[in-house]
Amino acid sequence: MHSVLITGSSRGIGKATAITLAKKGYDIVLHCHHGLAAAEENKQLIQELGRTVRILQFDIADRVQCKKILTTDIETFGIYYGVVCNAGIIKDNAFPALTEHEWDSVIHTNLDGFYNVLNPLIMPMIRTRKPGRIVTLASVSGMIGNRGQVNYSAAKAGIIGASKALAIELAKRNITVNCVAPGLIDTDMTKDAPIAEAMKMIPARRLGKPQEVASLIAYLLSEEAAYITRQVISVNGGLC
């Protein structure tokens, strides 16, 4: 059966995606950095669904560590059919007060992580001569910008551009690359967001659910989505 790596799958959108894909019959490669206990709980849930699952623990901002662990994993278990680049961090601040650490850590994790995770995997995916799927996670912030998120918006906009360019390179190999751009989703990452103010801008007048993002990701990974590539699809309740 097809296996899928989901980075940042200990909680939130990543967890919902892993569970959704397991229910659809995929074998799952969970990833976490600090959230090993939560990842272990998710592993148990997926095993109860009858799917094969394992956990990889590494920092997507660490290029050497990424390459070593991912290369070892695919040499041992085989290349993934799909990769969901979901892991990311936020460190919000008004730009004049934004520290070097807040800028660098967000860029290194969210944008460099795209390269660090995918670069060791692309040639092995190509060499299989089989269809593949890559889904990256951007954000409404990367499309329209957001106050206090210059660093995050820059990283997510970069992911959109990188995903579109990679899609061109891989299209003839039957490997699709698409980008999902969530709006305000009810996860730990948005718990400190100014929700009341945001509601005035969201026509749906509610937060999104992780499952609503996961369902789109699952479709983009499916065989039915073979002719969809180089797209940025928003899940944002009409926020634009």
Side-chain angles (χ1 to χ4, degrees), residues 62-93:
D62 186 328
R63 186 163 300 159
V64 173
Q65 188 183 49
C66 267
K67 184 174 182 178
K68 179 180 179 181
I69 290 177
L70 290 172
T71 299
T72 299
D73 190 65
I74 62 175
E75 287 176 349
T76 304
F77 297 100
I79 188 59
Y80 318 122
Y81 159 78
V83 182
V84 180
C85 294
N86 168 73
I89 62 171
I90 57 172
K91 291 187 181 296
D92 295 352
N93 208 343

Side-chain angles (χ1 to χ4, degrees), residues 16-93:
T17 300
I19 300 299
T20 299
L21 293 176
K23 288 179 179 178
K24 291 183 177 293
Y26 294 92
D27 292 329
I28 304 298
V29 183
L30 298 169
H31 159 265
C32 67
H33 182 199
H34 298 298
L36 183 58
E40 291 285 0
E41 292 177 3
N42 297 342
K43 179 181 178 180
Q44 179 65 34
L45 292 173
I46 292 168
Q47 287 175 330
E48 291 171 0
L49 293 169
R51 302 314 312 169
T52 298
V53 56
R54 61 186 180 276
I55 299 172
L56 301 180
Q57 185 176 19
F58 59 88
D59 180 2
I60 65 168
D62 186 328
R63 186 163 300 159
V64 173
Q65 188 183 49
C66 267
K67 184 174 182 178
K68 179 180 179 181
I69 290 177
L70 290 172
T71 299
T72 299
D73 190 65
I74 62 175
E75 287 176 349
T76 304
F77 297 100
I79 188 59
Y80 318 122
Y81 159 78
V83 182
V84 180
C85 294
N86 168 73
I89 62 171
I90 57 172
K91 291 187 181 296
D92 295 352
N93 208 343

Side-chain angles (χ1 to χ4, degrees), residues 183-186 195 198-210 212 235-239:
L184 273 174
I185 308 298
D186 189 9
I195 303 300
M199 286 301 151
K200 300 174 185 177
M201 303 170 60
I202 302 174
R205 291 295 188 266
R206 68 173 176 85
L207 298 182
K209 302 172 184 176
E212 291 171 316
V235 185
N236 60 23
L239 175 64

Side-chain angles (χ1 to χ4, degrees), residues 165-177 226 229-230:
L166 184 59
I168 297 172
E169 294 187 13
L170 297 180
K172 67 181 179 181
R173 308 286 188 175
N174 293 318
I175 300 172
T176 66
V177 184
T229 195
R230 205 186 176 197

Side-chain angles (χ1 to χ4, degrees), residues 96-192:
L98 196 69
T99 67
E100 292 180 3
H101 172 71
E102 289 167 338
W103 175 269
D104 290 343
S105 60
V106 168
I107 296 296
H108 290 329
T109 300
N110 296 357
L111 184 53
D112 290 355
F114 173 99
Y115 176 88
N116 297 345
V117 169
L118 291 178
N119 184 256
L121 302 178
I122 294 302
M123 280 310 302
M125 289 181 77
I126 290 173
R127 291 191 191 105
T128 67
R129 299 183 180 275
K130 296 178 181 179
R133 302 282 185 269
I134 296 170
V135 178
T136 63
L137 272 290
S139 167
V140 67
S141 293
M143 300 177 72
I144 64 174
N146 193 29
R147 182 188 301 273
Q149 290 192 323
V150 174
N151 52 355
Y152 189 71
S153 296
K156 292 300 187 178
I159 287 173
I160 290 172
S163 299
K164 287 189 172 188
L166 184 59
I168 297 172
E169 294 187 13
L170 297 180
K172 67 181 179 181
R173 308 286 188 175
N174 293 318
I175 300 172
T176 66
V177 184
N178 291 290
C179 190
V180 173
L184 273 174
I185 308 298
D186 189 9
T187 67
D188 290 345
M189 190 173 280
T190 60
K191 68 181 185 297
D192 296 323

